Amino acid sequence: MTHNLVWFKRDLRSADHGPLRAALASGPTLALYCWEPSVWQAPDASSRQAEFVAECLHDLQHQCQLHGVVLHVAQGEVLPVLERLHGTHGLRAVYSHEETGNAITYARDRTVAAWLKAQGLPWHQSQQHGVVRGLKQRRTWLGQWRAHMQQPVVAPPPTAQPATPKAPAPSAAGGPPKGVSHVLPAPQRQRGGREAGLTVLQQFLQRGSAQYRGGISSPLSAPTACSRLSPYLAWGCLSMREVVQATERTLASCHAGDPRRAGLRSMLSRLHWHCHFIQKLESEPAIEWRNMHPGYNGLREADWQAHHFEALTQGRTGWPLVDACVAMLRHTGWLNFRMRAMLVSVAAYPLWLHWREVGWWLARQLVDYEPGIHWSQMQMQSGTTGINTTRVYNPIKQARDHDPQGQFVRHWLPVLRRVPDAWVFEPWRMPASVQQACGVRVGHDWPLPPVDLTQATRHAKARMHQRRAQPEVRAGKQAVLARHTANNGKPPARLTPRARRNTPPAAQTTFDF
């Protein structure tokens, strides 16, 4: 007897899973997840992500059992695993979702496609999220995204008799391969699995969305105001389509004065931009490792300062909000978007660090690492896209705006708890008498910043604007616009305030509201 094979990657669910439904409708079906060494030993992978995925697999195993499907969890590169399964069970066809991942998974998929073709085995790939493979014109993308989100959610396959043949359970197959970058466990990270994701979704729709519109920027309110769905979307415990449709249903049920309405509308916009940014990586995979606009090549590469990078990653920059964010990231594996953008901005401008190494470090910390969003945002916040306004976040101003009483800073940095309000965001300015009184000696108990923030930022912006003003850089902007914006390189038309309110966000480049 031959079998269909469902290959799970970043789609760890059975609901709204077209490949699983189609495979089961076509005949006996097996399921596979591979802990691939090449993927999990890459510099953007980490042990905390692997722990989350292991929990997802435990949940997925139970889901598959309900549908009479055995989930094979294997360690090893996927091609040898496919060869073994083909030899032992006889594969008829492979079913999976398309994946917009990093360069490693892209190359792996090409290798798998070649092998399947040589074996005469069809590979049925379905669209994942709202990302369109082979997109020719970016101006058509929004309509295709909407059409995909409006399609009915694929119902889970019917329950079935116990699956055969026997296969090792995820626990028996072990965890990720050796060599995964070890990141200290995050005690407060979210737990993996579809059931956990559904709980988070319902909590947001019923309660959290009321805080969403005004609460997502401050690191104080963001942990409860944000949807917290990002890891469940990144690893596919929930599908984008089912989240969009659940949000739309909840919005439609809200009465005129319901405090959730504004938050749900903003959430729908963000769900759209989730796919908007992943589409950039789908259309141009090289933005993972090279500047989106080649005119910015060589801008920072030769000026790498290892001690600046160490100060950032160790949470020892001396700028309290930056270091508090790093502490929270270590402890939770999550940070709200504005604070992520601030970290990248500080790295890119006053510390003048290239986005690549910083991006790898951040990716390893984040449980919700999504390559398409991550690398697009790393470049946008670093100013190397060539099409976005230079966006520089001052960590002192951000602290005063979003943590005015210093509660967030003091929570994550106990050493500053006795520092008076007047100095808590700039402790290096404390007079010696104040340092003595609060027991914080700058340069001993608290680090001095590696650079003067004002001068270093001013110098960085000048270098960036000097590069941006070069004729060849200005000329190259149109090619980037053509690849990654809906107007395909044409200057956007000026809109009246009323027209802006009524126009879909077809060229938004930030998640800040």
Side-chain angles (χ1 to χ4, degrees):
M1 181 191 304
T2 58
H3 294 79
N4 295 319
L5 179 71
V6 178
W7 178 17
F8 286 98
K9 294 181 277 187
R10 280 179 169 259
D11 52 350
L12 305 179
R13 65 183 186 275
S14 63
D16 200 23
H17 201 290
L20 178 61
R21 182 90 187 196
L24 283 169
S26 178
T29 297
L30 307 173
L32 171 69
Y33 180 85
C34 271
W35 290 106
E36 302 165 83
S38 60
V39 173
W40 286 99
Q41 293 169 3
D44 57 352
S46 71
S47 54
R48 62 176 51 170
Q49 296 164 4
E51 291 165 359
F52 185 91
V53 169
E55 293 163 357
C56 294
L57 291 174
H58 181 76
D59 193 7
L60 181 61
Q61 179 194 28
H62 176 67
Q63 295 173 53
C64 286
Q65 286 175 341
L66 294 176
H67 309 309
V69 177
V70 168
L71 175 64
H72 294 249
V73 177
Q75 283 197 17
E77 300 302 336
V78 71
L79 187 54
V81 172
L82 289 175
E83 290 172 339
R84 288 198 300 271
L85 284 174
H86 190 36
T88 56
H89 297 303
L91 299 184
R92 177 190 303 170
V94 174
Y95 294 76
S96 74
H97 277 114
E98 296 168 346
E99 180 181 11
T100 303
N102 59 19
I104 294 168
T105 63
Y106 180 65
R108 171 257 276 152
D109 281 0
R110 291 170 64 95
T111 300
V112 168
W115 180 81
L116 290 172
K117 183 177 180 180
Q119 301 300 313
L121 298 174
W123 185 6
H124 305 289
Q125 296 190 75
S126 301
Q127 183 177 349
Q128 172 83 313
H129 303 317
V131 177
V132 180
R133 180 147 294 176
L135 184 68
K136 300 299 182 184
Q137 291 284 343
R138 188 60 192 247
R139 70 179 65 180
T140 67
W141 176 81
L142 181 58
Q144 294 183 67
W145 182 89
R146 287 173 173 161
H148 180 76
M149 296 306 156
Q150 290 169 3
Q151 292 175 5
V153 168
V154 178
T159 55
Q161 297 298 318
T164 56
K166 298 292 185 182
S171 56
K178 294 180 180 180
V180 178
S181 177
H182 179 70
V183 176
L184 290 175
Q188 293 184 11
R189 72 163 173 84
Q190 292 173 270
R191 291 301 177 260
R194 178 169 174 79
E195 289 303 316
L198 288 171
T199 299
V200 172
L201 175 61
Q202 289 306 312
Q203 289 174 342
F204 172 73
L205 295 177
Q206 299 306 318
R207 297 189 299 277
S209 52
Q211 309 173 58
Y212 189 82
R213 181 75 182 189
I216 61 175
S217 290
S218 170
L220 280 170
S221 55
T224 54
C226 288
S227 75
R228 304 306 303 273
L229 291 171
S230 55
Y232 304 105
L233 290 171
W235 295 104
C237 305
L238 304 175
S239 78
M240 174 60 64
R241 179 165 50 201
E242 66 180 325
V243 173
V244 167
Q245 293 185 13
T247 305
E248 289 175 337
R249 286 195 302 270
T250 305
L251 179 60
S253 71
C254 292
H255 58 77
D258 194 315
R260 297 175 295 168
R261 286 172 61 89
L264 291 168
R265 287 197 185 99
S266 294
M267 178 62 177
L268 286 171
S269 179
R270 282 195 170 225
L271 292 173
H272 163 268
W273 292 112
H274 169 281
C275 302
H276 164 81
F277 283 108
I278 299 176
Q279 186 69 53
K280 292 177 183 288
L281 185 63
E282 174 69 29
S283 299
E284 188 179 0
I287 65 173
E288 179 196 347
W289 66 84
R290 73 182 182 207
N291 292 327
M292 188 178 292
H293 190 316
Y296 294 90
N297 292 345
L299 181 64
R300 294 185 176 94
E301 289 88 328
D303 296 328
W304 180 262
Q305 298 285 339
H307 65 285
H308 287 182
F309 182 65
E310 183 179 2
L312 175 70
T313 58
Q314 297 302 312
R316 299 282 294 172
T317 68
W319 298 312
L321 184 60
V322 173
D323 296 342
C325 285
V326 172
M328 180 181 177
L329 193 55
R330 287 177 181 162
H331 203 72
T332 68
W334 180 86
L335 202 59
N336 66 311
F337 180 80
R338 179 174 282 271
M339 294 302 103
R340 297 186 196 200
M342 184 203 66
L343 286 184
V344 179
S345 172
V346 167
Y349 292 98
L351 298 182
W352 200 243
L353 295 170
H354 191 271
W355 53 266
R356 180 72 160 146
E357 289 283 351
V358 176
W360 279 336
W361 165 70
L362 268 177
R364 291 192 294 271
Q365 307 303 309
L366 294 167
V367 175
D368 63 4
Y369 167 60
E370 172 61 70
I373 297 174
H374 185 77
W375 295 113
S376 295
Q377 288 295 320
M378 288 300 305
Q379 294 222 37
M380 192 175 87
Q381 302 300 339
S382 299
T384 55
T385 67
I387 61 175
N388 301 112
T389 302
T390 302
R391 185 171 282 107
V392 180
Y393 291 76
N394 183 312
I396 300 171
K397 182 181 184 302
Q398 292 295 311
R400 289 171 177 158
D401 288 348
H402 300 291
D403 185 28
Q405 306 303 316
Q407 294 172 301
F408 176 79
V409 161
R410 290 188 173 98
H411 174 78
W412 290 107
L413 302 173
V415 67
L416 297 181
R417 286 178 183 170
R418 295 183 59 195
V419 173
D421 289 353
W423 312 102
V424 71
F425 299 138
E426 299 177 278
W428 60 90
R429 297 184 182 275
M430 281 193 296
S433 59
V434 177
Q435 295 183 42
Q436 184 175 4
C438 68
V440 177
R441 293 168 295 167
V442 176
H444 186 273
D445 304 303
W446 183 255
L448 280 165
V451 295
D452 180 279
L453 180 64
T454 301
Q455 292 183 7
T457 302
R458 184 183 298 120
H459 180 60
K461 289 173 70 175
R463 293 181 70 176
M464 177 63 71
H465 293 156
Q466 183 182 31
R467 179 66 66 96
R468 178 165 290 199
Q470 293 177 359
E472 60 272 23
V473 175
R474 294 174 64 183
K477 177 179 178 179
Q478 297 307 312
V480 181
L481 286 168
R483 283 194 302 272
H484 297 295
T485 65
N487 58 8
N488 291 307
K490 297 178 181 178
R494 291 186 178 275
L495 301 177
T496 65
R498 181 176 181 179
R500 281 196 295 270
R501 288 193 298 271
N502 295 327
T503 300
Q508 182 178 339
T509 54
T510 177
F511 283 142
D512 295 331
F513 292 96

